[in-house]
Amino acid sequence: MQLAGKRAIVTGSNSGIGLGVARELARAGAEVVINSFSDTPEDHQIAADIASETGASVTYIQADMSKPDDCRALIQKAGGCDILVNNAGIQHVARIEEFPMDKWDAIIAINLSSAFHTTAAALPGMYAKGWGRVVNIASAHGLTASPYKSAYIAAKHGVVGLSKTTALEAAGKGVTCNAVCPGYVLTPIVEKQIPDQMKTHNMDRETVIKEVMLSRQPSGEFATVEQIGGTTVFLCSDAAAQITGTTISVDGGWTAL
Ligand code: NAD
């Protein structure tokens, strides 16, 4: 198995893209730690289900990625990691002048600062082993902008910058860092945006999907969580050992426009 003997931590992975990435890493043979801020029987069941499906060791560790101490404690509780996937993220859609201050702070904390804290805690162990992979799930919105998503776009551009700096500091130590930039993937975070977008644009659901979301995606199709997971597994492979400090878009051509 390609990733046998490697321990992967995926932040925000009880749903959506994180869950898809965790499943693909487990399929590739990695030991996987699933995470979110909650601690319910369902969370632990998700880990048990992936374990029985793939044969990999999969556990669930609660940690709130809005809290710096929790971010660092996640890495310690897991016993360090060889693969760190920073995926936890939230969204809020509003005009800048109406954007709630607490939403700005929460988005910057969860979508950007958490990646700094987990990376800071994980790098020493990776350096000691001479091997490591940091994969940051950024967004097409880490490379381009759209109106009404100021905090998210600021955070995701920040994640791309953090990925480049991490790559430069880790260069020559067997550790790479890259950002995956998905276009629209139909997950709960996107589902939740649809009502706000309908209100903001005064459109029905199907029109928002077609004319607002997928209008930027020339393929006209959502990307899938399996595709984001597969891209992450590739970045963890030996073939990707010299790919570092860059972005990989999985966006149906969005950023080619
Ligand atoms: P999602 O809502 O399904 O998943 C978000 C995950 O983050 C969940 O597991 C949630 O529990 C977790 N999370 C939220 N707050 C947390 C906290 N405080 N502590 C720990 N975990 C927390 O959404 P998704 O679409 O799967 O998004 C995952 C990532 O992919 C996000 O960073 C998002 O910005 C990015 N992304 C998504 C899309 C898309 O179209 N879905 C596109 C580009 C980038």
Side-chain angles (χ1 to χ4, degrees):
M1 295 282 262
Q2 195 184 351
L3 298 178
K6 307 293 187 198
R7 182 184 299 129
I9 300 176
V10 185
T11 71
S13 48
N14 66 350
S15 156
I17 290 175
L19 181 55
V21 169
R23 186 173 277 116
E24 295 305 320
L25 289 168
R27 278 194 185 132
E31 173 191 337
V32 178
V33 174
I34 310 262
N35 152 264
S36 186
F37 58 88
S38 53
D39 198 7
T40 64
E42 290 77 26
D43 292 325
H44 293 270
Q45 191 57 48
I46 287 170
D49 288 347
I50 300 181
S52 68
E53 200 180 299
T54 61
S57 163
V58 186
T59 51
Y60 181 84
I61 300 181
Q62 186 278 343
D64 185 342
M65 292 297 105
S66 70
K67 298 180 178 156
D69 289 344
D70 271 31
C71 297
R72 290 169 187 259
L74 170 64
I75 308 301
Q76 309 311 337
K77 282 183 193 163
C81 60
D82 308 287
I83 297 164
L84 171 64
V85 182
N86 288 304
N87 168 80
I90 59 168
Q91 174 65 284
H92 187 78
V93 179
R95 293 175 190 282
I96 290 175
E97 57 283 23
E98 289 149 15
F99 211 94
M101 287 190 280
D102 61 337
K103 293 281 186 202
W104 172 275
D105 288 343
I107 290 173
I108 299 298
I110 296 166
N111 296 23
L112 173 58
S113 302
S114 71
F116 162 72
H117 295 297
T118 55
T119 301
L123 282 177
M126 293 179 179
Y127 290 163
K129 288 185 186 170
W131 196 94
R133 296 286 188 268
V134 181
V135 179
N136 293 325
I137 306 300
S139 170
H141 278 135
L143 303 167
T144 65
S146 300
Y148 318 127
K149 297 183 178 178
S150 53
Y152 185 88
I153 285 160
K156 293 298 186 182
H157 276 70
V159 166
V160 170
L162 174 66
S163 305
K164 292 179 186 174
T165 301
T166 305
L168 292 180
E169 293 188 18
K173 299 186 174 81
V175 177
T176 69
C177 178
N178 295 286
V180 176
C181 294
Y184 275 107
V185 186
L186 194 55
T187 64
I189 205 175
V190 169
E191 274 295 344
K192 276 182 230 149
Q193 284 175 60
I194 295 175
D196 284 343
Q197 293 277 22
M198 286 165 64
K199 209 166 102 190
T200 306
H201 295 279
N202 196 21
M203 291 175 176
D204 65 23
R205 179 186 164 87
E206 293 316 309
T207 314
V208 160
I209 290 176
K210 195 163 161 253
E211 292 185 13
V212 178
M213 295 179 159
L214 295 182
S215 71
R216 302 280 294 271
Q217 217 145 295
S219 66
E221 293 168 13
F222 285 108
T224 67
V225 300
E226 290 78 12
Q227 289 160 357
I228 311 303
T231 303
T232 302
V233 169
F234 165 68
L235 286 172
C236 295
S237 71
D238 290 342
Q242 290 300 317
I243 300 177
T244 195
T246 193
T247 58
I248 296 196
S249 292
V250 187
D251 65 4
W254 176 332
T255 44
L257 280 172

